[in-house]
Amino acid sequence: QAKVKANVHSRTSSTTRAALSSARFDELPISDAAKHSIATVLGYETMTKCQAESIPVSLRGGDVLCKAKTGTGKTLAFLIPSCELAMRVPSSARRGNISILIISPTRELASQISTEAKQLIGSMGLSLVTVFGGTNVSKDKRAFAQGAPDILVATPGRLNDHLENMGLRTSFLFFS
């Protein structure tokens, strides 16, 4: 039997372990692609309490407000249902529009969200672009030139810059 390699990007800590529940990711009504990424890429089997309470509600289309300590799985708690709902829309209908907008207050958090999202969507057929200040805006433009990503992770300043000065609003029918 092959040994599963630990996720090098995992930020699992004692806080995460203390927040674990008995609910399992493989019991969620999500795609096989998502279950595969969660189990083999992310290396997770059981959900934290905030994930177990919020993901099922979000998958049914309900709104969730989740307040929990750092390291308790809030990122996956919103990424899993968001990506699942986006996948339910045919790619032809998603084309040309950003399906999921994640606004992060800091570059560091945007980068962490992006890393986790890339691992989750690897086999889901969704695309992702991450933009934040302090980086070359030409790189952002090249990414957008390839078409609207399904997921956009952005800091407020860089997002506003793209909306106001770089044509993002009209390119992808953003907020119309």
Side-chain angles (χ1 to χ4, degrees), residues 9-157:
H9 298 290
S10 176
R11 295 182 316 277
T12 303
S13 66
S14 59
T15 303
T16 308
R17 286 187 287 281
L20 288 175
S21 73
S22 60
R24 297 178 53 84
F25 284 108
D26 59 9
E27 296 170 346
L28 287 172
I30 58 176
S31 65
D32 289 340
K35 288 179 182 180
H36 178 269
S37 292
I38 293 166
T40 61
V41 178
L42 291 164
Y44 299 141
E45 292 179 8
T46 58
M47 292 182 261
T48 63
K49 293 170 190 159
C50 81
Q51 291 165 340
E53 292 180 20
S54 64
I55 293 173
V57 174
S58 296
L59 286 170
R60 290 189 303 270
D63 294 331
V64 172
L65 176 63
C66 181
K67 179 181 177 185
K69 288 182 177 182
T70 297
T72 56
K74 294 182 297 293
T75 301
L76 276 182
F78 74 79
L79 277 175
I80 291 170
S82 298
C83 293
E84 280 297 311
L85 293 174
M87 280 183 40
R88 292 178 187 169
V89 176
S91 60
S92 59
R94 289 192 322 259
R95 194 169 299 124
N97 294 291
I98 296 168
S99 298
I100 302 167
L101 173 63
I102 302 168
I103 302 174
S104 169
T106 67
R107 291 184 278 205
E108 293 78 12
L109 184 56
S111 181
Q112 288 173 8
I113 293 168
S114 178
T115 298
E116 202 148 357
K118 285 177 189 172
Q119 292 175 84
L120 176 64
I121 67 170
S123 58
M124 296 174 81
L126 298 173
S127 59
L128 172 107
V129 169
T130 304
V131 297
F132 49 81
T135 61
N136 188 332
V137 77
S138 297
K139 179 181 159 243
D140 298 351
K141 288 180 184 179
R142 285 191 300 277
F144 289 129
Q146 296 176 14
D150 294 302
I151 305 167
L152 175 60
V153 180
T155 54

